[in-house]
Amino acid sequence: MPPKIIISACLLGRPVRYDGKGKPLHHPAITRWQADGRIVGYCPEQAGGLPTPRPPAEIEGGMGGEDVIEGRARVVESTGRDVSAAFVEGGRKAVEFARANGCAFALLIDGSPSCGSGFIYDGSFSGIRHPGLGVTAALMRRAGIAVYSDREIDALVARLDGESEVAS
Protein backbone atom coordinates (compact mmCIF):
# COMPACT_ATOMS: atom_id res chain seq x y z
CA MET A 1 0.00 0.00 0.00
CA PRO A 2 1.30 3.48 -0.81
CA PRO A 3 2.24 5.72 2.13
CA LYS A 4 -0.58 7.53 3.87
CA ILE A 5 -1.02 11.26 4.38
CA ILE A 6 -1.79 12.82 7.73
CA ILE A 7 -3.94 15.89 7.18
CA SER A 8 -5.03 18.70 9.48
CA ALA A 9 -8.52 17.64 10.59
CA CYS A 10 -9.86 21.14 9.90
CA LEU A 11 -8.95 20.69 6.22
CA LEU A 12 -11.39 17.76 6.18
CA GLY A 13 -14.09 20.14 7.43
CA ARG A 14 -14.01 18.95 11.04
CA PRO A 15 -14.93 21.78 13.45
CA VAL A 16 -11.64 21.71 15.41
CA ARG A 17 -10.13 25.14 14.73
CA TYR A 18 -9.73 27.67 17.52
CA ASP A 19 -13.00 29.30 16.41
CA GLY A 20 -14.89 25.99 16.47
CA LYS A 21 -15.06 25.78 12.68
CA GLY A 22 -13.50 23.68 9.96
CA LYS A 23 -11.74 25.01 6.89
CA PRO A 24 -12.35 22.32 4.28
CA LEU A 25 -9.86 21.99 1.46
CA HIS A 26 -11.78 21.13 -1.69
CA HIS A 27 -9.50 19.36 -4.14
CA PRO A 28 -10.09 16.25 -6.27
CA ALA A 29 -6.97 14.62 -4.82
CA ILE A 30 -8.45 14.74 -1.31
CA THR A 31 -11.52 12.87 -2.53
CA ARG A 32 -9.35 10.34 -4.37
CA TRP A 33 -7.00 9.80 -1.42
CA GLN A 34 -9.94 9.37 0.95
CA ALA A 35 -11.49 6.76 -1.35
CA ASP A 36 -8.11 4.96 -1.46
CA GLY A 37 -7.86 5.00 2.36
CA ARG A 38 -4.70 7.14 2.29
CA ILE A 39 -5.93 10.08 4.38
CA VAL A 40 -5.88 10.21 8.18
CA GLY A 41 -7.16 13.38 9.85
CA TYR A 42 -5.65 14.72 13.04
CA CYS A 43 -5.79 17.86 15.16
CA PRO A 44 -2.64 18.29 17.24
CA GLU A 45 -4.11 21.14 19.26
CA GLN A 46 -6.98 18.97 20.45
CA ALA A 47 -4.56 16.07 20.99
CA GLY A 48 -2.51 18.37 23.22
CA GLY A 49 -5.57 18.92 25.40
CA LEU A 50 -6.81 22.27 24.15
CA PRO A 51 -10.58 22.78 23.98
CA THR A 52 -12.62 23.82 20.96
CA PRO A 53 -13.38 26.65 20.67
CA ARG A 54 -10.35 28.28 22.28
CA PRO A 55 -8.69 31.69 22.17
CA PRO A 56 -6.44 32.25 19.14
CA ALA A 57 -2.76 31.52 19.77
CA GLU A 58 0.47 32.64 18.11
CA ILE A 59 4.18 32.05 18.61
CA GLU A 60 5.61 35.10 20.36
CA GLY A 61 8.23 37.49 19.07
CA GLY A 62 8.20 36.46 15.42
CA MET A 63 9.77 33.14 16.36
CA GLY A 64 8.84 29.67 15.05
CA GLY A 65 8.01 26.13 16.05
CA GLU A 66 11.67 25.10 16.39
CA ASP A 67 12.12 27.91 18.91
CA VAL A 68 9.14 26.64 20.93
CA ILE A 69 10.45 23.05 20.87
CA GLU A 70 13.86 24.25 22.07
CA GLY A 71 12.34 26.47 24.80
CA ARG A 72 13.42 29.78 23.22
CA ALA A 73 9.84 30.95 22.54
CA ARG A 74 6.33 30.36 23.75
CA VAL A 75 2.95 29.83 22.15
CA VAL A 76 0.58 32.27 23.81
CA GLU A 77 -3.13 32.78 23.52
CA SER A 78 -4.58 36.23 22.87
CA THR A 79 -5.43 36.21 26.60
CA GLY A 80 -1.69 35.96 27.41
CA ARG A 81 -1.89 32.36 28.65
CA ASP A 82 1.14 30.22 27.77
CA VAL A 83 -0.04 27.09 25.91
CA SER A 84 3.40 25.96 24.70
CA ALA A 85 3.28 22.62 26.54
CA ALA A 86 -0.05 21.71 24.91
CA PHE A 87 1.29 22.58 21.45
CA VAL A 88 4.47 20.53 21.92
CA GLU A 89 2.54 17.57 23.38
CA GLY A 90 0.01 17.71 20.54
CA GLY A 91 2.80 17.84 17.96
CA ARG A 92 4.56 14.85 19.50
CA LYS A 93 1.30 12.90 19.53
CA ALA A 94 0.72 13.85 15.89
CA VAL A 95 4.14 12.45 14.93
CA GLU A 96 3.45 9.22 16.86
CA PHE A 97 0.04 8.94 15.19
CA ALA A 98 1.55 9.55 11.74
CA ARG A 99 4.19 6.87 12.28
CA ALA A 100 1.66 4.38 13.67
CA ASN A 101 -0.53 4.90 10.60
CA GLY A 102 2.22 4.66 7.97
CA CYS A 103 2.14 8.34 7.01
CA ALA A 104 5.15 9.54 5.06
CA PHE A 105 3.49 12.84 4.14
CA ALA A 106 1.68 15.59 6.02
CA LEU A 107 -0.78 18.07 4.50
CA LEU A 108 -1.16 20.82 7.09
CA ILE A 109 -3.05 24.11 7.24
CA ASP A 110 -0.82 27.12 6.80
CA GLY A 111 -0.78 29.96 9.30
CA SER A 112 -1.42 27.79 12.35
CA PRO A 113 1.05 27.92 15.27
CA SER A 114 0.83 24.12 15.12
CA CYS A 115 0.51 23.25 11.48
CA GLY A 116 1.88 26.23 9.56
CA SER A 117 4.70 25.30 7.21
CA GLY A 118 4.93 28.24 4.82
CA PHE A 119 3.88 31.05 7.12
CA ILE A 120 2.82 31.65 10.70
CA TYR A 121 1.72 34.77 12.55
CA ASP A 122 4.24 36.90 14.43
CA GLY A 123 2.73 36.80 17.93
CA SER A 124 1.33 40.34 17.90
CA PHE A 125 -2.25 39.23 17.06
CA SER A 126 -2.33 41.94 14.41
CA GLY A 127 -2.48 39.67 11.34
CA ILE A 128 1.21 40.05 10.49
CA ARG A 129 2.59 36.91 8.85
CA HIS A 130 6.14 35.75 8.36
CA PRO A 131 7.78 32.65 6.87
CA GLY A 132 8.08 29.86 9.39
CA LEU A 133 6.98 26.54 10.79
CA GLY A 134 4.48 25.82 13.50
CA VAL A 135 5.32 23.37 16.29
CA THR A 136 3.75 20.26 14.71
CA ALA A 137 5.18 21.02 11.26
CA ALA A 138 8.66 21.38 12.79
CA LEU A 139 8.31 18.08 14.68
CA MET A 140 7.04 16.32 11.54
CA ARG A 141 10.04 17.55 9.55
CA ARG A 142 12.39 16.43 12.34
CA ALA A 143 10.77 12.99 12.13
CA GLY A 144 11.40 12.77 8.37
CA ILE A 145 7.78 13.25 7.35
CA ALA A 146 7.46 15.41 4.23
CA VAL A 147 5.34 18.45 5.11
CA TYR A 148 3.16 20.32 2.63
CA SER A 149 0.84 23.24 3.33
CA ASP A 150 -2.71 23.36 2.03
CA ARG A 151 -1.42 25.91 -0.51
CA GLU A 152 1.05 23.28 -1.82
CA ILE A 153 -1.42 20.48 -2.50
CA ASP A 154 -0.64 20.48 -6.22
CA ALA A 155 3.06 19.88 -5.44
CA LEU A 156 2.09 16.97 -3.18
CA VAL A 157 -0.15 15.56 -5.92
CA ALA A 158 2.70 15.82 -8.44
CA ARG A 159 5.11 14.12 -6.04
CA LEU A 160 2.74 11.28 -5.21
CA ASP A 161 1.73 10.80 -8.85
CA GLY A 162 5.43 10.72 -9.79
CA GLU A 163 6.17 8.11 -7.11
CA SER A 164 3.28 5.90 -8.20
CA GLU A 165 4.52 6.03 -11.81
CA VAL A 166 8.00 4.95 -10.68
CA ALA A 167 6.49 2.09 -8.64
CA SER A 168 4.49 0.79 -11.65
Side-chain angles (χ1 to χ4, degrees):
M1 172 150 199
K4 291 187 179 179
I5 305 150
I6 188 169
I7 184 172
S8 298
C10 59
L11 292 175
L12 295 173
R14 296 183 193 157
V16 296
R17 288 171 44 91
Y18 74 93
D19 58 5
K21 298 177 181 173
K23 193 170 184 179
L25 177 60
H26 300 288
H27 193 284
I30 300 285
T31 305
R32 184 176 78 233
W33 294 332
Q34 283 179 306
D36 293 344
R38 293 187 68 183
I39 294 276
V40 289
Y42 200 82
C43 177
E45 293 173 26
Q46 282 190 332
L50 295 172
T52 301
R54 57 192 167 271
E58 296 183 5
I59 299 171
E60 66 182 356
M63 306 290 269
E66 285 287 342
D67 299 302
V68 175
I69 296 162
E70 297 298 327
R72 295 185 300 262
R74 302 176 308 151
V75 182
V76 293
E77 292 180 337
S78 58
T79 62
R81 183 171 80 121
D82 181 349
V83 288
S84 304
F87 274 76
V88 172
E89 178 67 14
R92 287 191 175 128
K93 286 181 176 180
V95 169
E96 289 172 17
F97 181 83
R99 286 181 171 156
N101 284 278
C103 299
F105 303 95
L107 182 59
L108 306 176
I109 190 162
D110 229 350
S112 161
S114 270
C115 297
S117 64
F119 74 88
I120 54 177
Y121 292 91
D122 74 348
S124 67
F125 296 95
S126 60
I128 298 172
R129 307 186 315 185
H130 67 93
L133 296 174
V135 175
T136 297
L139 288 166
M140 291 275 181
R141 287 218 174 129
R142 279 186 176 190
I145 296 167
V147 176
Y148 291 82
S149 79
D150 52 311
R151 298 175 307 119
E152 299 173 310
I153 188 167
D154 291 328
L156 178 56
V157 169
R159 179 168 178 187
L160 293 175
D161 286 351
E163 287 182 8
S164 62
E165 287 177 15
V166 170
S168 330

